[in-house]
Amino acid sequence: MSDADTASPPLTAAALATRAAIVATAERLFRTMGYQKTTVADIARELKMSPANIYRFFPSKSAINEAICGGILVEFDAAVWAIARGPEAPAERIRAVFRLLQEQTIALFFHERRMHDMVAAALEEHWPVIDQHVHTIDAAFGHIVADGQAQGVFAPLDAEMTGRLLHLTCVMFTHPTLVEQCQDTKDLPLMAHAMAEFCLRALRPDAPAA
Amino acid sequence: MSDADTASPPLTAAALATRAAIVATAERLFRTMGYQKTTVADIARELKMSPANIYRFFPSKSAINEAICGGILVEFDAAVWAIARGPEAPAERIRAVFRLLQEQTIALFFHERRMHDMVAAALEEHWPVIDQHVHTIDAAFGHIVADGQAQGVFAPLDAEMTGRLLHLTCVMFTHPTLVEQCQDTKDLPLMAHAMAEFCLRALRPDAPAA
């Protein structure tokens, strides 16, 4: 659910169901017809309701898209956090998150080209769902760093800041615009792997003073 | 000069002078009127020549823009290489390049907003001048890494790959699209500094085996 919802009064069960139906129908149309070509009237027709009824729930097509992207990103975030909280050694978790971020981005943006346009629109419009996603991944990395520090395998750096930095080193294989501009996406798995190993070197504890 | 030139026969001194005049005039118009609003006819009028004469040198407005951006990036690259080849300790050179990349990007893209649009167009169109710039900066970082290895202060990693990785960690404060989407550009100097220190930790030599 998007940040914007927190300002509205709570919805009844029936209203929530309608809202979910609008989101599900819009997502199907965006994926098949494309985001730009789908109108609110198209969505209303599919749902056998009036456009005015849709506008009771969402002020614009862009707001529907925000709800859809928010849902996708929440799933994405949950997969990253499942790794971050997992039983593997902290270094393995860092490697796994790098791999997941890289693979999911390619899957999302290349195999589902229309989805790419939706998320790219989200980035250009600075939606709260995007900020929330970025902070959630920063925090997942920070969590692994803190765990590694507790186990004595990572250096005692600022865990929160280090989480942000780790996430920033992934930008070239997670940001839709950069992935789109990348001319050799088959290099991305190798680069993600190399970057993870490079970052793990930075996390090594300092040698004890002689 | 752009890659495209290498396919053409060498230009006479007079032709080179005309070409330079076209580039200089176009750059002035792009900076004052904006890239989108300036036409080839505007450039021709300023130079008191026919548009046909301009097309003898450049097939399109976009090709003129490529030559301008190429010139700016070549200057930018030279400044980075001056640091890379400089007398400072290798770690200091890495810090200085991170600082320069971050400061130059902000200067270019914010204080010269119209320039930003020109470079953003270049990125979207995958111009050879952009690739060349990226490789030149990768190589400058690789050069510093190799120097640090020769001095025994950096770990014996693959210098070329490490140069690419160092440059990739800078993407968030050097890529015009990301800088544009960044909501807190006043954080960028701090992030660039923190990222440089993080990367320098990765470059530390391994502790000798006990």
Side-chain angles (χ1 to χ4, degrees):
Chain A
M1 216 169 279
S2 88
D3 270 358
D5 295 339
T6 55
S8 317
L11 297 171
T12 64
L16 280 172
T18 306
R19 201 179 184 284
I22 293 169
V23 167
T25 303
E27 180 167 356
R28 186 163 50 74
L29 292 178
F30 290 169
R31 283 184 197 250
T32 50
M33 295 173 53
Y35 175 62
Q36 298 302 337
K37 285 193 185 160
T38 305
T39 63
V40 171
D42 293 327
I43 302 165
R45 196 177 315 113
E46 284 284 305
L47 288 161
K48 297 187 178 37
M49 59 173 67
S50 66
N53 198 37
I54 292 193
Y55 287 118
R56 282 181 49 218
F57 293 89
F58 295 98
S60 63
K61 186 173 84 169
S62 162
I64 305 177
N65 190 18
E66 181 170 358
I68 296 170
C69 290
I72 293 167
L73 291 174
V74 161
E75 269 181 53
F76 198 172
D77 293 349
V80 170
W81 268 98
I83 295 171
R85 290 210 181 87
E88 303 278 339
E92 283 307 317
R93 282 183 252 163
I94 299 259
R95 289 186 181 101
V97 172
F98 270 69
R99 208 157 42 227
L100 180 71
L101 290 176
Q102 187 269 312
E103 286 169 0
Q104 291 265 59
T105 305
I106 291 288
L108 196 60
F109 300 135
F110 283 79
H111 305 159
E112 298 205 46
R113 179 69 204 185
R114 301 212 186 272
M115 223 51 230
H116 170 277
D117 296 340
M118 289 159 64
V119 177
L123 280 166
E124 273 160 31
E125 296 180 25
H126 297 302
W127 291 348
V129 290
I130 299 284
D131 280 342
Q132 208 171 307
H133 164 67
V134 169
H135 294 145
T136 303
I137 305 296
D138 287 355
F141 272 122
H143 176 85
I144 305 173
V145 170
D147 249 20
Q149 290 170 337
Q151 296 182 22
V153 294
F154 289 161
L157 306 169
D158 177 322
E160 191 188 328
M161 176 55 127
T162 304
R164 283 182 72 185
L165 294 175
L166 286 167
H167 192 192
L168 283 173
T169 70
C170 301
V171 161
M172 61 94 56
F173 49 86
T174 57
H175 193 293
T177 309
L178 300 200
V179 172
E180 198 177 7
Q181 285 171 0
C182 177
Q183 302 197 44
D184 242 331
T185 53
K186 65 180 190 320
D187 272 4
L188 291 180
L190 173 72
M191 294 311 290
H193 169 79
M195 189 63 93
E197 296 306 319
F198 185 72
C199 289
L200 286 170
R201 290 186 54 85
L203 291 170
R204 288 171 299 163
D206 295 295
Chain B
M1 218 170 277
S2 87
D3 270 359
D5 295 339
T6 55
S8 316
L11 297 172
T12 63
L16 280 172
T18 306
R19 202 180 182 284
I22 294 169
V23 168
T25 302
E27 181 167 355
R28 184 163 52 73
L29 292 178
F30 291 169
R31 285 185 195 248
T32 50
M33 296 173 55
Y35 175 61
Q36 299 301 336
K37 285 195 185 158
T38 304
T39 64
V40 171
D42 292 329
I43 302 165
R45 195 177 317 113
E46 284 285 306
L47 287 161
K48 299 187 177 36
M49 59 173 69
S50 67
N53 197 36
I54 291 192
Y55 287 116
R56 282 179 52 217
F57 292 90
F58 295 99
S60 63
K61 187 174 82 169
S62 161
I64 304 177
N65 190 19
E66 181 170 357
I68 296 170
C69 290
I72 293 167
L73 291 173
V74 160
E75 268 181 53
F76 198 170
D77 294 349
V80 169
W81 268 98
I83 295 170
R85 291 212 181 87
E88 303 278 337
E92 282 308 317
R93 281 183 253 164
I94 299 259
R95 290 185 179 102
V97 172
F98 270 67
R99 206 157 45 227
L100 180 71
L101 290 176
Q102 186 269 313
E103 287 169 0
Q104 290 266 57
T105 306
I106 291 289
L108 196 58
F109 300 135
F110 283 79
H111 305 160
E112 300 205 45
R113 179 71 205 183
R114 299 211 187 272
M115 224 51 229
H116 171 278
D117 296 339
M118 288 158 65
V119 177
L123 281 167
E124 272 161 31
E125 297 181 22
H126 297 302
W127 291 347
V129 291
I130 298 286
D131 281 342
Q132 209 172 307
H133 164 69
V134 169
H135 295 144
T136 303
I137 305 297
D138 287 355
F141 273 122
H143 176 85
I144 306 174
V145 170
D147 249 21
Q149 290 170 335
Q151 295 182 23
V153 293
F154 289 160
L157 306 169
D158 177 323
E160 192 189 326
M161 176 57 126
T162 305
R164 284 182 72 185
L165 294 175
L166 286 166
H167 192 193
L168 283 173
T169 69
C170 302
V171 161
M172 60 93 56
F173 48 86
T174 57
H175 193 293
T177 309
L178 301 200
V179 172
E180 198 176 7
Q181 285 171 359
C182 178
Q183 302 197 45
D184 243 331
T185 53
K186 66 181 190 318
D187 271 4
L188 291 180
L190 173 72
M191 295 309 290
H193 169 78
M195 188 63 93
E197 296 306 319
F198 186 71
C199 289
L200 286 170
R201 290 186 53 85
L203 291 170
R204 289 170 299 162
D206 295 295

